[in-house]
Amino acid sequence: MNYYKFRNRFSRLKGGETYVEANRGYTMRQIVFLNGETIASNRYHPEYGFTLPAGYVDYAAYQDLNEKEIKAGLIDPMKTITEAEFEALWHQNLDHHRGDWDAAKARFPVGAEVSGPVATFYPHGVLLTIGEGVLGLADSRVCRASSTETIFPGRKVSGVVAGYDEINQWILVDAPRVEP
């Protein structure tokens, strides 16, 4: 994993101080501090939606793409940070939502049947909205294998709670089935 810090210039989060965890060019987690607000990729944001970049991002090319602006002092260069620096910020975000997360785990115990619409697709799998402010993570390959039809946001998926992703505060959904 690689960890970076930079001022966002290209997305809806323009101007935000952005911290990312990347695995071979794919962003796995992201946290942005923008206008006094913390916007993290593990939660849906009412204004910005899901904030994880889609697809491959060449973070190493950032310096080259912005060389003139960096030399002119118009923007700061991207910095490599340590895993510990990233984790400290990420865990502050998790701690802020700890009460909601504990309530979600109590509401959706292991073995419970759950269902909800596809919210988005992440490198981790298919994110489902299984309750207000509660996201479930299902294996995308199993979802695709359960239906001959296309899977898209809004499509309902059912499954069983298998456990909890404590790093992202997501409910793990096993045996997902795309509903007709």
Side-chain angles (χ1 to χ4, degrees):
M1 296 286 186
N2 299 97
Y3 300 87
Y4 304 103
K5 169 187 174 182
F6 57 93
R7 182 147 319 266
N8 197 312
R9 293 187 57 223
F10 303 107
S11 78
R12 317 175 281 219
L13 301 169
K14 187 175 181 177
E17 194 67 37
T18 303
Y19 297 80
V20 298
E21 174 187 64
N23 184 12
R24 294 185 219 143
Y26 291 92
T27 308
M28 302 306 290
R29 293 185 286 169
Q30 174 176 287
I31 191 163
V32 179
F33 300 97
L34 178 66
N35 301 326
E37 189 173 8
T38 302
I39 304 157
S41 61
N42 66 318
R43 305 181 72 76
Y44 178 82
H45 187 276
E47 182 177 348
Y48 299 106
F50 289 102
T51 59
L52 201 65
Y56 179 82
V57 178
D58 190 349
Y59 289 104
Y62 180 90
Q63 306 299 79
D64 295 335
L65 290 171
N66 299 290
E67 184 178 2
K68 289 180 185 177
E69 292 94 340
I70 291 169
K71 284 183 178 177
L74 299 173
I75 63 169
D76 294 330
M78 180 174 59
K79 296 179 177 124
T80 300
I81 61 171
T82 66
E83 179 180 3
E85 288 174 285
F86 180 87
E87 291 296 344
L89 295 170
W90 190 258
H91 284 280
Q92 285 176 6
N93 168 60
L94 295 179
D95 289 344
H96 180 73
H97 298 285
R98 182 75 49 208
D100 292 337
W101 176 233
D102 289 341
K105 291 189 295 186
R107 184 172 166 203
F108 299 103
V110 171
E113 288 281 333
V114 294
S115 66
V118 171
T120 194
F121 300 93
Y122 269 5
H124 316 76
V126 178
L127 283 183
L128 313 170
T129 303
I130 60 172
E132 188 172 329
V134 181
L135 295 172
L137 176 67
D139 186 305
S140 57
R141 291 174 296 215
V142 177
C143 286
R144 283 194 306 272
S146 76
S147 177
T148 58
E149 298 181 33
T150 304
I151 304 170
F152 51 84
R155 191 83 189 267
K156 188 175 179 183
V157 175
S158 299
V160 177
V161 175
Y164 309 101
D165 177 344
E166 297 290 342
I167 295 299
N168 290 295
Q169 295 181 334
W170 296 333
I171 306 292
L172 298 174
V173 179
D174 195 24
R177 301 170 309 284
V178 177
E179 301 295 327

